[in-house]
Amino acid sequence: MATVQLSSARVGAAAFAAKGKASLEPLRLPATVTFGEARPARRAFRGLVVRAATVVAPKYTTLKPLADRVLVKIKSSEEKTTGGILLPTTAQSRPQGGEVVAVGEGRTIGDKKVDISIQVGAQVIYSKYAGTEIELNDYNHLVLKEDDVIGILETDDVKDMKPLNDRFLIKVAEAEDKTPGGLLLTETTKEKPSIGTVVAVGPGPLDEEGNRIPLSVSAGSTVLYSKYAGSEFKGADGTNYIVLRVSDLMAVLS
C-alpha cells in the first residue's frame, strides 16, 4: 500500500534526531474489518496533520483508470460498535470495502482482449493493503488492480459475497471447546481452526490465452487450508468467514 492511515491502536511518540528532523515509531494497525458510509476524507489526528493520500487538485474532477485497474470510493470506518458504543479514532478499524466508480479498458492476454469483470456501481471488498490511496473531490478513493478485488458484495452480509478469480468464500469451522481429555478451553486458548466449508467459488484464473480455468473444488466441500492465509470476515450473525486463493487450499476432507 502506498499510504498509511492513522487509525492504529497505538501511535509512537515523536522524537527528534540530531539534525532536528522528526521521526515516528512504526504504527500498529488493527485487524478487524467493518464498513460504514462514505464521507469526506479526514487528515487531522490530534493536532498532527498528515497527508494520508495523494491529493488530486480541485481542477481535476474525474479519474479514468488504465488497463486492468479500477477506482473504488472507500467506505468509512465504523464509529460505533454493534452495541452502540462510540469508538475513538484510534480504535476504528481500517475500511476494506467500497463502491467501484470507474474501471479501466481491460488488458490483452495473448491475442485476446480481456475486459474487466467488475461493473461500475458494484460494492466490493479488496485486499487490505493493496492499491494507491488518493483524495479526489474531498473523498478518499483507492486505485486497485482487478486482481486485488477479493469479491463483490451482493448484499450487506459477507455470506452473500461473490468471490473473484481463483478465490473461495469459506465458512470457518468452530473451534473446539474441549481438549481430548475433556478440559474446557477459554477463548484465548482455543486453537485457530484451519478447516471450513466452501460457500462460494470464483470463476477461476485466466490461462495464457485469456480463457478461464474452472476451479476443481465445488461449493459444499469441506477443506483444509493454510492456517495464516486469506482475508477474514465476520457475517451479520457473527459467523466467521475467510476468503482464500486456490493455492491456499491443502486438501478436501470427506
Side-chain angles (χ1 to χ4, degrees):
M1 182 89 183
T3 63
V4 175
Q5 179 178 343
L6 288 182
S7 58
S8 62
R10 177 175 59 87
V11 177
F16 289 90
K19 294 183 179 181
K21 294 182 179 179
S23 62
L24 289 175
E25 293 182 2
L27 307 179
R28 186 172 61 191
L29 296 173
T32 55
V33 176
T34 52
F35 304 101
E37 296 298 324
R39 65 185 60 194
R42 292 178 296 179
R43 299 183 302 278
F45 180 76
R46 294 188 179 181
L48 179 64
V49 177
V50 175
R51 291 286 180 179
T54 300
V55 180
V56 178
K59 66 179 180 178
Y60 302 109
T61 58
T62 61
L63 185 151
K64 173 65 176 175
L66 298 178
D68 60 340
R69 291 177 172 83
V70 298
L71 179 65
V72 177
K73 187 176 183 181
I74 301 174
K75 292 288 185 73
S76 67
S77 303
E78 291 287 357
E79 296 185 350
K80 293 183 180 181
T81 65
T82 53
I85 300 174
L86 284 173
L87 293 171
T89 302
T90 54
Q92 292 172 17
S93 61
R94 179 187 183 85
Q96 200 177 340
E99 178 184 353
V100 176
V101 294
V103 299
E105 68 276 10
R107 55 182 171 144
T108 300
I109 301 178
D111 296 328
K112 186 173 183 178
K113 175 75 182 323
V114 180
D115 294 327
I116 290 180
S117 61
I118 306 168
Q119 302 296 318
V120 172
Q123 299 293 323
V124 298
I125 297 177
Y126 46 81
S127 299
K128 198 164 191 178
Y129 301 111
T132 299
E133 191 172 342
I134 64 169
E135 184 184 323
L136 177 67
N137 299 329
D138 293 326
Y139 286 89
N140 282 338
H141 294 72
L142 205 60
V143 179
L144 296 158
K145 285 199 169 187
E146 182 184 16
D147 191 53
D148 291 325
V149 179
I150 294 173
I152 298 173
L153 285 175
E154 303 288 352
T155 69
D156 291 334
D157 197 340
V158 70
K159 72 179 178 63
D160 299 316
M161 183 198 304
K162 177 184 175 183
L164 297 179
N165 298 320
D166 62 340
R167 294 181 175 91
F168 297 86
L169 174 64
I170 294 172
K171 181 181 178 181
V172 179
E174 293 185 6
E176 294 292 337
D177 292 325
K178 294 181 180 180
T179 66
L183 295 176
L184 288 174
L185 296 171
T186 64
E187 290 297 324
T188 55
T189 56
K190 288 180 182 178
E191 184 178 358
K192 181 179 180 179
S194 55
I195 295 175
T197 302
V198 177
V199 176
V201 181
L206 294 170
D207 63 18
E208 295 180 356
E209 297 180 354
N211 300 311
R212 291 284 178 188
I213 305 173
L215 297 170
S216 60
V217 180
S218 58
S221 300
T222 300
V223 294
L224 176 70
Y225 54 84
S226 301
K227 185 170 287 190
Y228 299 106
S231 299
E232 298 176 339
F233 303 95
K234 193 175 289 290
D237 61 355
T239 301
N240 292 318
Y241 294 88
I242 189 168
V243 178
L244 297 159
R245 287 189 179 272
V246 64
S247 57
D248 296 322
L249 302 188
M250 296 189 291
V252 175
L253 303 176
S254 59

